[in-house]
Structures are given as structure tokens and as C-alpha cells.
Amino acid sequence: MAEQPDYYVKSAEKTLAVLLAFDAGHQALTVTQVAEAISVSRAAARRFLLTLVDLGYLETDGNAYRQTPRVLDIGASYLSGLTLPQVARPHLQQLAVELSETTALCVLDDQDILYVERISNPRLHSMNVSIGNRLPAWATSMGRVLVAELPEAAREEFLSKARLTHYTAKTVASIDELRAELDTVRAQGWSLVAQELDEGLRGLAVPVYRGKQLLGALNVSVQPGRIGSASITEEMLPLMRRTAQDIADDFGGRTAARN
Amino acid sequence: MAEQPDYYVKSAEKTLAVLLAFDAGHQALTVTQVAEAISVSRAAARRFLLTLVDLGYLETDGNAYRQTPRVLDIGASYLSGLTLPQVARPHLQQLAVELSETTALCVLDDQDILYVERISNPRLHSMNVSIGNRLPAWATSMGRVLVAELPEAAREEFLSKARLTHYTAKTVASIDELRAELDTVRAQGWSLVAQELDEGLRGLAVPVYRGKQLLGALNVSVQPGRIGSASITEEMLPLMRRTAQDIADDFGGRTAARN
DNA sequence: TACAACTGTACGCAATACGCACAATAGGCC
DNA sequence: GGCCTATTGTGCGTATTGCGTACAGTTGTA
């Protein structure tokens, strides 16, 4: 697909490909399965697998390979730095307490939203997403906020690549319908998505802006028991906007302090 | 250091080394800094950095490089599978509610404990650890449980490599003192560590066993306001042991269902 | 302006990593 | 049990990949 400039290190791509071959549906893989999954020879797959075992990122019973917890190291450095999730956590916690709901922060990565921080209310059993998880952007409140705020060209490119799936009866049906919804979201500055991805689940999201830079989107999952949409936005939006502002200020202040 | 068998793919090691060079203290690195950090030539570091930018794991302003949220992908597959953290989460949530405290699950990785799941109580501002973070095993309640349950030889190897740091006035002072403490922990089946890593922080941990296999350690952070040690263990231990058992049962049942 | 300390880039060379081909092993079926 | 298929481990010659030097461009400071 992509061009391969002369500085390109193919082995780096393969290394990551091997690690990513172990996705949610494929916990344990054999040499042959990995070779097929990432389109390399069996010998090559084996070399990479054995190397990653040596490095401690994979383990094997002699036949199948699986990831070890050490793979978490790679993302942990991102989470622990003075990055957005780290800065946002206390604010998301405060908001989670004030609203007694689950709060989350996402960024846009290609066609997906990527959870970078999430404070779940242990009292509720909410959706089983954790940090690093992806959801299709078009079907989520955070995704719609993030796409709506994109420049026109990028937004249209997103729409052209979007693959709408009919999750529930309320899921948006067409690209045109989605485009109209995005216009509304951009105009009002927030998005409420009700039961489009999952029955009985409503998400309310606002953008997190630092000046003109869009840092991410902030979300509150609204439990089914809660009152109607009108009062939800009335009640929650001001607090969410204040939280978004707090995160942005804090992020700018702290990162500016570093050189 | 380590031998390099003839199947070894050096580039795989370098790829991971580059990604890990961006640790908590080094958010943004230049080509030269990376080259120094992982002991490769500047040209090599540049090739890997540019490749990782192409792959979307790093971004650059033309000078410094930093990680993108996409690095979370690598660990996300581990977290989402039918692995320990995924299975443990609902049980940790329930326990967090019952005790109104923060709960966590760790595994041992070398000399460190590695957080694989954590349910923080938003009402408390507890220590700022997140999934994938490491803490020195010898100084934590979970670490002591995990090391105590190790076979004799492995336990002694751990002790021989341990580097004790004097965190607080209450920190254990010598290897012999630590060895005695581990004996106690093994005998009683739990560990309470009070203010050894951080003032005002107490952790209580029990092992999570599935049959004879040690899956990990379960922890409750005890807030300072709580009553004395005796009643803490009396009150909390039964619930923690029940949770550990639930996790183990659930883990075995679900993973056995897969082939 | 000159210097220092960075950067980006090209290119010849060596070693790395490739993938074929064969051997060995494991499982399924009559 | 014995045959067959499918999958795995491994050695080896070779092409390619990735190496690092060397040079040129860029930025910032004295």
C-alpha cells in the first residue's frame, strides 16, 4: 500500500505487526497463524516470535504464543508522562463524582476514537472498554464531536471512508444523515448519542480545546435511569464544559513549563 | 549482556528500545538523544524514528519526537482478551464498592510489580498509578505476596537482585529483614505494607491462586482515615479472599472454554 | 562573523535477515 | 498399528537490508 522511502526499516513494521497480530479475537497464535496474518514467511514469523519471547513480550508453551503483561510497558510511558491523559485524570475523577457517572477522554485516530483515559464509577456496570480501546468514531458521541470540529476537507475524507454498521434500531442510517448530524454537533458544540451503538446507552460529549488546538473529546455516559435528554444537557453540559476548560488550561500550563 | 541466538532479529529489539526510550521522564526526544539512550548510531536511530512516524506510533515537529496515543494499541489487545485483567475487572469493581476503597491487580515482572487492572474510587485521590505502571516489588504489599509465594530458589534470586531504597522512615532496612517479612507473608497468606513506599499509604494484598498456579496479587489501598491494622485485616481479608477466589474460578472457567 | 552543535542525506559495504528445502513431529482416520 | 496429512523446527547459501561514515546544511550563540 504505502510507499516505502529509503529510510524505511521494514523490520520495525514487522515487529509491530507481530505484536498487533494478537488482537482481541486472537489471544494465542501459532507460528503459521502469525505468518499468515501478517503475510511473511513462516521462518520470518518464527524469528520474530522467538526474539519477542527472549525480550519478554511474548511467552510460549512450545506451540502457541501469547502476549505477556509486559506489552503494557510500551503504552505505559505514554500514560505516565505529562500527556493529556495524565493531566486529565483528576478532572475526570472530579466530574465523575459530581455527576455520579462514568467519564472518559478520547482522541481521534483515523476512523476510530481511542480511549486515553477513563474513570468508571464502580457502582455502575458500564460498557467494558478500557484505555487503548477503539470504537468507530461515527457511532459515538466523542467521535462525532472530534470529526465535527475537523476542517471541511478532513471531515469529508472521514465521511468517504466511513463504513456505517447498523448496530441498533436507532443507529444513523446514511452518510448524509451523519453529515447533517455533524453540522448540528459543530453548531451546538456538543453531541448526544443515544442507543446507536448499544441499547440503553447514552453518551454526551464536548470538545476539549486549548485555544485553537483540539486536544480531544470528553464524555459522560448517561445511565438509562436518568431523566430525558433536555434536562441531561441542561444539567450536565455546564459542568462538562468547565471540566474541558480545566483540562485544557492545566495541559497548556504544564507542558509549557517543560521546554 | 544476553546471548544472541542465531534466530535473533536485532531490529525487533531496537524497535522496542526506541519506543521504550520515551519513558516517564523523557516525553520528547531528538534523534541524537534516542541514539545515545539506546546506543546506536544517529543514522540508525533516525531510520527507526522516521519509520515509527510513518507507522503512526510517533509524531515529530521536525526536531523532537514524541509518542502518539496509538502506542496504546499494543497493550490494548492484551487488556481486551480473555486475559486476567479482563476477567478480574468486575470483581475488582464489586470489591471496590463493598470496601469503598481502590482495588488493583498486579503480576510480577522481574523485580517489579506490574499493574494490569485497577479500579480507583473517584471519591479518593489515591496514588497516581495506572495500568502498565511498575513499582518495586519488595516495597509493596502485592509484590511481597507474589515473591513470598515463589519457590525458594526464585525467591532468593529475587532477594539477591533487590535494591532496597529508603523511601520513608518505615521502609524495611535490610535484605534479612525483608526475608523474614516474606516468611511471615507466606505463612499468613497476606501482606500489609504501611507507609513504606509513601507516607500515609497502606496496602493490603492477597494472592490469587487457581489451583497451584499463582495468577497474580489482589490489593486494596487503605485510606489513612481508616481504623487500625487489626480490624483492617479482620474486616477486609475475608472479602478479598472471596474476590480472589471468584477471579480464579472465573478465569479458569472462561479460558478453559476456549481451546 | 565565526564557531559550535546540532541536524539531514548519500553511498559503498558488511552483515543481517530471508526463504527455500529438508527433517522431525504430531494428530487423524481407516 | 500404520499410513497419511498437516504442522513444526532447522540449516544454509544468498540477496537485501540496514549499517555507519563522511559530508553538507541549519540553527543558535558568543
Side-chain angles (χ1 to χ4, degrees):
Chain A
M1 308 280 170
E3 290 297 299
Q4 285 172 12
D6 48 357
Y7 56 71
Y8 206 77
V9 182
K10 291 193 178 173
S11 307
E13 180 176 5
K14 277 185 216 163
T15 306
L16 274 316
V18 169
L19 284 173
L20 290 175
F22 298 85
D23 59 24
H26 305 90
Q27 295 302 300
L29 295 172
T30 64
V31 173
T32 310
Q33 286 174 316
V34 171
E36 278 177 12
I38 65 174
S39 303
V40 300
S41 74
R42 210 166 45 79
R46 184 170 175 273
R47 276 190 291 269
F48 278 91
L49 286 169
L50 289 172
T51 303
L52 289 169
V53 169
D54 268 28
L55 293 173
Y57 294 97
L58 298 177
E59 61 187 2
T60 177
D61 56 4
N63 187 22
Y65 294 78
R66 52 185 70 235
Q67 292 182 319
T68 68
R70 191 175 289 186
V71 296
L72 297 174
D73 269 12
I74 301 159
S77 40
Y78 171 78
L79 292 173
S80 309
L82 286 179
T83 49
L84 192 56
Q86 177 86 341
V87 168
R89 186 184 299 164
H91 299 108
L92 290 177
Q93 286 209 345
Q94 196 188 333
L95 186 65
V97 171
E98 288 172 352
L99 296 177
S100 292
E101 297 282 3
T102 295
T103 58
L105 188 77
C106 276
V107 298
L108 189 67
D109 189 60
D110 228 335
Q111 299 290 111
D112 304 319
I113 56 168
L114 192 53
Y115 278 78
V116 297
E117 187 57 88
R118 182 167 184 271
I119 305 298
S120 72
N121 190 322
R123 260 156 250 275
L124 318 165
H125 22 93
S126 36
M127 267 188 82
N128 220 353
V129 293
S130 52
I131 291 168
N133 276 23
R134 291 170 177 275
L135 285 176
W138 65 268
T140 62
S141 60
M142 284 185 276
R144 289 188 187 172
V145 163
L146 292 168
V147 175
E149 303 285 335
L150 246 38
E152 168 100 37
R155 200 162 64 237
E156 282 304 323
E157 198 204 330
F158 175 91
L159 286 169
S160 73
K161 289 198 286 180
R163 289 279 157 275
L164 305 191
T165 311
H166 195 68
Y167 288 113
T168 76
K170 296 209 175 183
T171 308
V172 71
S174 72
I175 293 287
D176 286 338
E177 199 179 321
L178 180 57
R179 186 184 287 110
E181 173 64 18
L182 289 178
D183 289 340
T184 308
V185 168
R186 189 168 62 259
Q188 68 194 8
W190 52 268
S191 170
L192 177 68
V193 170
Q195 306 174 33
E196 292 195 35
L197 190 59
D198 201 70
E199 299 283 354
L201 201 76
R202 283 180 294 179
L204 181 60
V206 299
V208 180
Y209 262 107
R210 162 132 187 108
K212 300 204 162 217
Q213 190 194 2
L214 180 62
L215 300 178
L218 184 152
N219 162 276
V220 171
S221 316
V222 188
Q223 289 304 119
R226 215 107 180 185
I227 21 61
S229 306
S231 25
I232 283 174
T233 54
E234 261 176 52
E235 178 190 349
M236 294 186 164
L237 270 180
L239 286 175
M240 289 175 68
R241 289 202 161 117
R242 189 218 57 207
T243 304
Q245 192 57 51
D246 289 347
I247 292 171
D249 291 346
D250 212 356
F251 183 70
R254 291 219 231 167
T255 48
R258 310 205 114 217
N259 72 328
Chain B
M1 309 279 170
E3 289 297 298
Q4 285 173 13
D6 47 358
Y7 56 71
Y8 207 77
V9 182
K10 291 193 179 172
S11 307
E13 180 176 4
K14 278 185 216 162
T15 306
L16 274 315
V18 169
L19 284 172
L20 290 174
F22 297 84
D23 58 24
H26 304 90
Q27 295 301 300
L29 295 172
T30 64
V31 175
T32 309
Q33 287 173 316
V34 172
E36 279 178 13
I38 64 174
S39 304
V40 300
S41 75
R42 209 167 46 79
R46 183 170 174 271
R47 276 191 291 270
F48 278 90
L49 286 168
L50 289 173
T51 303
L52 289 168
V53 169
D54 267 28
L55 293 173
Y57 295 97
L58 298 178
E59 61 187 3
T60 176
D61 54 5
N63 187 21
Y65 294 78
R66 51 185 71 234
Q67 292 182 320
T68 69
R70 190 174 290 185
V71 296
L72 297 174
D73 269 12
I74 302 161
S77 40
Y78 171 78
L79 293 173
S80 310
L82 285 179
T83 49
L84 191 56
Q86 177 86 340
V87 167
R89 187 184 302 164
H91 300 108
L92 290 178
Q93 285 208 344
Q94 195 188 334
L95 186 64
V97 170
E98 288 172 352
L99 296 177
S100 292
E101 297 282 2
T102 295
T103 59
L105 188 77
C106 277
V107 298
L108 190 66
D109 190 62
D110 228 336
Q111 299 292 109
D112 303 320
I113 57 169
L114 194 52
Y115 278 79
V116 296
E117 188 56 89
R118 182 168 185 270
I119 307 297
S120 70
N121 190 321
R123 259 157 252 276
L124 318 165
H125 22 94
S126 35
M127 266 188 83
N128 220 353
V129 294
S130 53
I131 291 167
N133 276 22
R134 290 170 177 275
L135 286 176
W138 66 268
T140 63
S141 60
M142 284 186 277
R144 289 187 186 171
V145 164
L146 292 168
V147 175
E149 303 286 334
L150 245 39
E152 167 101 35
R155 201 162 64 237
E156 282 304 322
E157 198 204 331
F158 175 91
L159 286 171
S160 72
K161 288 199 286 180
R163 290 277 157 274
L164 306 191
T165 312
H166 194 68
Y167 289 114
T168 75
K170 295 207 174 185
T171 308
V172 70
S174 72
I175 294 286
D176 286 337
E177 200 178 321
L178 179 59
R179 185 184 288 110
E181 174 64 18
L182 289 179
D183 288 340
T184 308
V185 168
R186 188 169 62 259
Q188 68 193 9
W190 52 268
S191 169
L192 177 68
V193 171
Q195 306 174 34
E196 293 194 34
L197 190 59
D198 202 70
E199 299 283 354
L201 199 77
R202 281 179 296 178
L204 181 61
V206 299
V208 180
Y209 262 105
R210 163 136 186 102
K212 300 205 163 218
Q213 191 193 1
L214 180 62
L215 300 177
L218 184 154
N219 163 275
V220 171
S221 315
V222 189
Q223 289 305 118
R226 214 108 180 184
I227 21 61
S229 307
S231 27
I232 284 175
T233 55
E234 263 175 51
E235 177 190 350
M236 294 187 165
L237 270 181
L239 286 175
M240 290 174 68
R241 288 202 163 116
R242 188 217 60 207
T243 303
Q245 193 57 51
D246 289 348
I247 292 171
D249 292 346
D250 212 356
F251 183 71
R254 291 218 230 167
T255 48
R258 311 206 111 215
N259 74 330

